[in-house]
Amino acid sequence: GDGSIERGTGWLPPNTPTEEEKAKAAAMVGSEEPVEAAPAEAAAGQGSFALPEIEPAFDQWLSAQLGASPADSKDTDEFKYITFSEIPPFTDKHKSLMRKTLTPELFEQLKDVKSSKGYTLSNGMQAGVLRPHLGVGFTAGDEECFTLFKDLIYPIVNGWHKFDPATQLHKSDLDWTQLQFSEEQAG
């Protein structure tokens, strides 16, 4: 790795203080800057998990979704899975193929689907909902997800890789004796 650590709102360079650390430091040196209170999510038993700030109206919606979400067996102090009760009111900042592909009808069709390992549509969407800049915006938690959520995943794969899993076959040849090298590569 590059030495980066994950903080609640994404990847930050090493030694980048959190807002809480900045506030504590400001208070310690007698700064006149106001010291912000800990995020409501942390105070409400959310551990160190914090929602990103995207746009005020969206942030309010997202906070309500998190607050209404049941506990998930995959939750940790650093990460909470959100169960979305409705298709997100995406902002213009949301650029992912998931956002472009997910319709209200598709959300309704898949919202209650769960893999045998407990991965849901909401789990897969969360990356793209919380991180508007992502290009793909959906994660598959296990192999079964590729079948269960294919109506969403296949168009995303096609858009990202220009490969249509519904009509094309991906052939793998793992026989090392079939490898061919140029003289430069072989040297």
Side-chain angles (χ1 to χ4, degrees), residues 56-162:
F58 184 83
D59 298 346
Q60 185 176 5
W61 175 86
L62 190 56
S63 183
Q65 291 288 304
L66 176 61
S69 293
D72 188 300
S73 63
K74 300 178 295 294
D75 286 347
T76 67
D77 283 343
E78 294 82 29
F79 190 84
K80 303 295 180 197
Y81 281 96
I82 301 171
T83 300
F84 299 108
S85 62
E86 60 189 4
I87 191 168
F90 293 112
T91 69
D92 289 342
K93 294 179 181 180
H94 287 89
K95 306 293 183 191
S96 73
L97 289 169
M98 179 272 297
R99 184 256 169 115
K100 294 173 184 172
T101 305
L102 187 63
T103 63
E105 296 77 20
L106 191 53
F107 179 86
E108 286 300 316
Q109 174 189 330
L110 299 174
K111 72 178 183 177
D112 297 320
V113 174
K114 184 185 281 194
S115 76
S116 60
K117 294 183 179 161
Y119 208 78
T120 67
L121 175 67
S122 288
N123 295 161
M125 293 170 43
Q126 188 163 335
V129 174
L130 270 58
R131 308 288 179 265
H133 67 281
L134 294 178
V136 172
F138 190 86
T139 60
D142 55 55
E143 186 176 354
E144 189 180 4
C145 290
F146 287 95
T147 302
L148 294 174
F149 303 113
K150 71 179 181 181
D151 291 343
L152 179 59
I153 292 176
Y154 282 15
I156 292 171
V157 168
N158 194 0
W160 193 257
H161 297 287
K162 306 303 180 226

